[in-house]
């Protein structure tokens, strides 16, 4: 059974139609990468899955928790389900979103203590476990301002893992990093994939998508145009829009070298 299932998802921002009848599913332990041009709806899709953005219409199912949306305000019961969906989905953003006034360890324990009501000692133990996993135990008492961009993003990943989610959502996690720092974040994500973490990743890192993902989804103008294993998407895409996107991306990368 899929652990994430989206059916008929629509999202409007006023007159702007951002997501158009999007349906997808993700199996447990699967790594799915979403690629496409800027403005194609990739990030909005992720944000709708955990209701950082409320869909206009559609059905979201995360680990058996189902919300049907039909333009109206969510009922109290639906809001309760959304709360539990958020507990099951860890989100890693482009811009880290660490609390600048909290140390690294305090950033990690804030949500388990306040949202899940985990005892402080247990939360600290979890935080230390995941800091070690991302290679930052020695930074536990530092503040975000003293970290590099790559370190901030690794802390953000550890923070999401400390909530022990069923699914990890990554929204272009390397796009705000200098090129020399991208590798350290991708290495952490590769290790998570090897451990069987279910991941839905919006990315422009085609090497990562080719190496790590089980399936690649190409989006354009708010729709899923094509989805296939990476070896098929990157060698013989079925849709000309996918081919045009990849050709343009490869030419851009070549010109930057």
């Amino acid at each position: 059974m899929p652990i994430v299932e989206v059916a008929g998802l629509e999202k409007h921002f006023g007159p702007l139609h951002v997501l158009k009848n999007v349906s997808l599913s993700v199996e447990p332990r699967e790594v799915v990468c979403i690629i496409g041009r800027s403005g194609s709806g990739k990030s909005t899709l992720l944000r709708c899955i955990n209701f950082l953005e409320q869909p206009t219409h559609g059905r979201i199912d995360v680990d058996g928790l189902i919300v049907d949306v039909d333009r109206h305000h969510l009922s109290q019961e639906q809001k309760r389900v959304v709360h539990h969906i958020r507990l099951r989905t860890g989100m890693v953003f482009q811009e880290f979103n660490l609390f600048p006034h909290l140390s690294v360890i305090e950033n990690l324990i804030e949500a388990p203590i306040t949202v899940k009501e985990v005892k402080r000692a247990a939360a600290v133990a979890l935080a230390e476990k995941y800091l070690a996993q991302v290679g930052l135990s020695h930074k536990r008492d530092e503040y975000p301002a003293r970290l590099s961009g790559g370190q901030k993003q690794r802390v953000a990943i550890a923070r999401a893992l400390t909530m022990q989610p069923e699914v990890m959502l990554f929204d272009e996690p390397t796009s705000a990093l200098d090129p020399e720092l991208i590798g350290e974040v991708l290495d952490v994500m590769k290790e998570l994939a090897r451990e069987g973490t279910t991941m839905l990743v919006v990315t422009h890192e085609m090497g990562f998508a080719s190496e790590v993902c089980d399936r690649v989804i190409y989006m354009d103008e708010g729709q899923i145009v094509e989805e296939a294993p990476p070896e098929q998407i990157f060698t013989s895409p079925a849709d000309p829009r996918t081919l045009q996107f990849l050709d343009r991306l490869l030419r851009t990368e070549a010109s930057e070298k």
Side-chain angles (χ1 to χ4, degrees):
M1 293 291 292
I3 194 167
V4 175
E5 195 159 18
V6 175
L9 191 66
E10 302 273 344
K11 177 61 181 176
H12 294 261
F13 290 104
L16 190 62
H17 196 179
V18 178
L19 295 177
K20 305 169 184 175
N21 194 31
V22 172
S23 298
L24 64 88
S25 63
V26 182
E27 299 293 326
R29 304 175 67 88
E30 189 178 23
V31 180
V32 176
C33 286
I34 304 174
I35 64 173
R37 296 179 180 85
S38 296
S40 60
K42 309 182 302 297
S43 296
T44 300
L45 172 58
L46 280 199
R47 293 173 67 87
C48 283
I49 288 173
N50 71 350
F51 287 86
L52 289 176
E53 297 287 353
Q54 183 175 319
T56 305
H57 181 79
R59 184 176 187 268
I60 308 284
D61 180 344
V62 177
D63 198 23
L65 295 166
I66 300 170
V67 178
D68 284 297
V69 182
D70 59 359
R71 290 184 178 271
H72 302 297
H73 293 296
L74 296 178
S75 68
Q76 287 303 118
E77 174 60 21
Q78 286 176 317
K79 289 178 181 178
R80 185 191 67 79
V81 175
V82 166
H83 172 73
H84 287 286
I85 285 176
R86 287 174 176 159
L87 292 178
R88 285 165 169 77
T89 53
M91 186 82 173
V92 178
F93 302 90
Q94 299 177 31
E95 298 290 346
F96 327 129
N97 288 4
L98 300 178
F99 297 116
H101 63 291
L102 298 180
S103 68
V104 165
I105 195 74
E106 290 167 338
N107 263 279
L108 267 65
I109 67 175
E110 177 73 12
I113 290 174
T114 59
V115 178
K116 297 180 75 174
E117 299 183 347
V118 175
K119 298 295 185 183
R120 183 180 177 87
V124 168
L126 275 175
E128 289 176 338
K129 170 186 173 182
Y130 291 114
L131 276 180
Q133 184 168 341
V134 301
L136 289 174
S137 294
H138 61 296
K139 298 291 186 180
R140 73 185 301 281
D141 297 315
E142 295 282 8
Y143 284 81
R146 295 178 59 87
L147 303 178
S148 70
Q151 290 170 338
K152 289 177 185 177
Q153 195 60 293
R154 286 152 63 196
V155 169
I157 293 171
R159 180 178 61 178
L161 291 170
T162 302
M163 289 293 283
Q164 298 185 293
E166 298 295 326
V167 181
M168 287 287 287
L169 307 176
F170 292 86
D171 184 11
E172 299 194 34
T174 61
S175 65
L177 300 178
D178 293 332
E180 65 271 18
L181 302 177
I182 290 173
E184 65 187 66
V185 173
L186 294 181
D187 286 344
V188 169
M189 295 172 65
K190 290 174 185 177
E191 182 59 30
L192 291 176
R194 284 191 290 268
E195 293 176 354
T197 305
T198 305
M199 299 163 63
L200 193 54
V201 185
V202 170
T203 185
H204 287 292
E205 300 292 336
M206 297 301 111
F208 173 84
S210 178
E211 177 183 350
V212 177
C213 289
D214 299 296
R215 187 157 41 97
V216 177
I217 292 173
Y218 173 65
M219 288 187 68
D220 186 46
E221 295 185 350
Q223 297 177 303
I224 292 178
V225 171
E226 182 173 358
E227 57 180 301
E231 58 270 19
Q232 179 178 330
I233 285 278
F234 293 124
T235 59
S236 55
D239 194 284
R241 289 169 290 181
T242 312
L243 180 60
Q244 183 182 45
F245 167 76
L246 293 172
D247 282 347
R248 182 182 294 114
L249 191 67
L250 290 173
R251 286 198 301 270
T252 301
E253 289 178 350
S255 67
E256 291 174 349
K257 290 181 179 178

